[in-house]
Amino acid sequence: MSPPSAIEPEPETNGHTQPSAKATHEPGLSESQAKVQMPKFPGPPTFTDKYKERDYLKGRLAAAFRIFGRYGFDEGVAGHITLRDPVDPTTFWVNPFGVSFALITKSDLIQVNHQGKIIDGGDVRLLNAAAFMIHGAVHEARPDVMCAAHSHSIYGRTFCALGRKLDIITQDACSFYDDHVLYESFNGIVLAEKEGKDIAACLGNKKAALLQNHGLLTVGQTIEAAVFWFISLEKCCQAQLMADAAAGGRGHETVKIDPEDAASTYKTIGTPTAGWFSAKPLFDLIKKECNAEYLQ
C-alpha cells in the first residue's frame, strides 16, 4: 500500500483537483509551530589566561593528529598540522618530524618561530622543512588562521592530479563554494621559501587549496574547523572522482548545484562556526577511543 500523500488537495478548477505545494503537518499544529527551530550553536571555549589556552590547544592539536592517523592521512613521514601559539602569535606548534600521527601527545609537539628555529617542545626536535615553508608562510600571511593542515591523503592527491577545482555537485561540496583555490604548480618537495609564499598567496582568504600533483591544504580559525575542512574536502574529492567516473561511463556529466543554491547552503555549512561544530563528534570519539592519552 502506498504511503499517504503529503500533498493536500486544493479546490477544483475546471473540474480537476489541483495539488497544493504545502506539506501537511501534525493535526493541531499551525504552520509556524511546525517549523523546526535550529538551536543556538555552542562555540569553542574562551580563556583569559593565554598560558591555559596554550595548554588546552596543544591538547586539541595532539587530538587532531590522532584523528588524522585514524583516517589514514599519514604515509611515511609526510603531513603536518600547525597551531598558532596564543602566547606568542609569531610562533607555531607542529608535529616533530618522523613521529607517527597515531602516537603523538601534546608533550611531543615542538614550537617554531618564523625563522625556522625550534624554541620549545618534546624530546624529538626534528622539523619537517616543508612544514615550515608552507605553514610558516600561511601563518604569516593570514593572521586570522589559527590552524593549518596538510597531508597526502589518497583521494585528495588523486584529485589534485587533475589540475582542476571541485565541481559543486553535493551538499557537502557547498562548504567549499567560492572558498577554495587550485595551486597550479609543482616544483617537488616544498623546500624553498618562495614556494611557501606562493602557496600562501594563492590561498588568499580562502579556507582550502588543492595543491596540483601534491595534496590538500586547509586552514581554520580553530583547530577543529581546519581538521573538519580537510576531512570533508578529502571526501568531496572522493565523491567527485566516483561521480565523474559513473557519469562518464554512461556518456553523461554530473549535475551541478545552482550557484545561488550553493551560496545559500554555504552560509549554513561553510562558516567557521559550522566547521568547529561539525568536528566536535570526531574529537569526542578520539578522546574516548584512546582514553585521552594524547593529553600527556
Side-chain angles (χ1 to χ4, degrees):
M1 180 178 176
S2 299
S5 172
I7 299 178
E8 297 177 325
E10 287 202 335
E12 292 188 0
T13 303
N14 296 328
H16 298 283
T17 300
Q18 301 296 315
S20 167
K22 292 182 179 179
T24 59
H25 47 257
E26 292 185 25
L29 286 180
S30 67
E31 185 177 354
S32 61
Q33 289 173 321
K35 291 182 178 178
V36 175
Q37 299 298 313
M38 289 294 287
K40 183 178 180 181
F41 278 86
T46 57
F47 297 83
T48 55
D49 185 327
K50 289 296 182 182
Y51 289 93
K52 289 183 179 179
E53 183 178 7
R54 170 196 278 174
D55 187 68
Y56 171 79
L57 292 176
K58 285 175 64 181
R60 298 300 271 184
L61 181 59
F65 284 110
R66 296 296 182 105
I67 292 169
F68 266 37
R70 187 176 185 271
Y71 273 87
F73 295 160
D74 52 351
E75 184 169 338
V77 296
H80 16 87
I81 312 174
T82 53
L83 162 70
R84 186 188 299 276
D85 183 60
V87 177
D88 181 1
T90 65
T91 67
F92 60 87
W93 295 86
V94 66
N95 49 310
F97 200 26
V99 177
S100 169
F101 286 1
L103 297 176
I104 284 181
T105 66
K106 72 176 182 180
S107 60
D108 291 324
L109 301 170
I110 56 177
Q111 186 180 13
V112 183
N113 65 21
H114 279 291
Q115 288 71 51
K117 181 181 178 181
I118 299 171
I119 58 177
D120 198 2
D123 294 334
V124 178
R125 295 201 172 187
L126 296 176
L127 174 62
N128 183 331
F132 171 71
M133 292 302 176
I134 297 173
H135 292 247
V138 169
H139 281 293
E140 191 169 12
R142 292 280 300 276
D144 62 304
V145 167
M146 173 183 283
C147 180
H150 167 67
S151 189
H152 302 169
S153 53
I154 186 64
Y155 295 108
R157 72 191 192 203
T158 301
F159 190 82
C160 286
L162 303 179
R164 58 183 292 191
K165 292 170 64 177
L166 278 180
D167 291 330
I168 308 303
I169 58 172
T170 66
Q171 175 175 297
D172 302 282
C174 292
S175 292
F176 302 98
Y177 176 73
D178 196 28
D179 205 8
H180 75 289
V181 299
L182 171 65
Y183 180 67
E184 299 181 81
S185 179
F186 179 75
N187 297 305
I189 298 172
V190 182
L191 301 177
E193 183 179 6
K194 180 180 183 301
E195 182 83 353
K197 289 186 175 181
D198 287 346
I199 290 173
C202 180
L203 177 65
N205 64 353
K206 308 301 185 186
K207 70 156 67 88
L210 304 172
L211 308 180
Q212 188 169 289
N213 305 112
H214 189 172
L216 308 180
L217 171 69
T218 59
V219 300
Q221 295 178 12
T222 60
I223 295 168
E224 293 85 354
V227 166
F228 183 75
W229 299 140
F230 191 98
I231 293 171
S232 183
L233 185 57
E234 166 77 356
K235 291 185 176 182
C236 286
C237 289
Q238 180 183 7
Q240 184 164 339
L241 289 166
M242 295 170 65
D244 283 347
R250 293 173 173 267
H252 299 297
E253 291 188 1
T254 55
V255 177
K256 314 303 188 290
I257 294 176
D258 179 81
E260 186 175 347
D261 292 331
S264 176
T265 305
Y266 174 90
K267 293 176 182 178
T268 300
I269 65 172
T271 65
T273 300
W276 177 85
F277 190 68
S278 295
K280 183 182 178 299
L282 298 172
F283 281 78
D284 292 344
L285 179 60
I286 204 70
K287 182 178 182 179
K288 184 175 180 63
E289 284 187 341
C290 60
N291 198 27
E293 66 177 13
Y294 55 82
L295 292 177
Q296 299 173 11

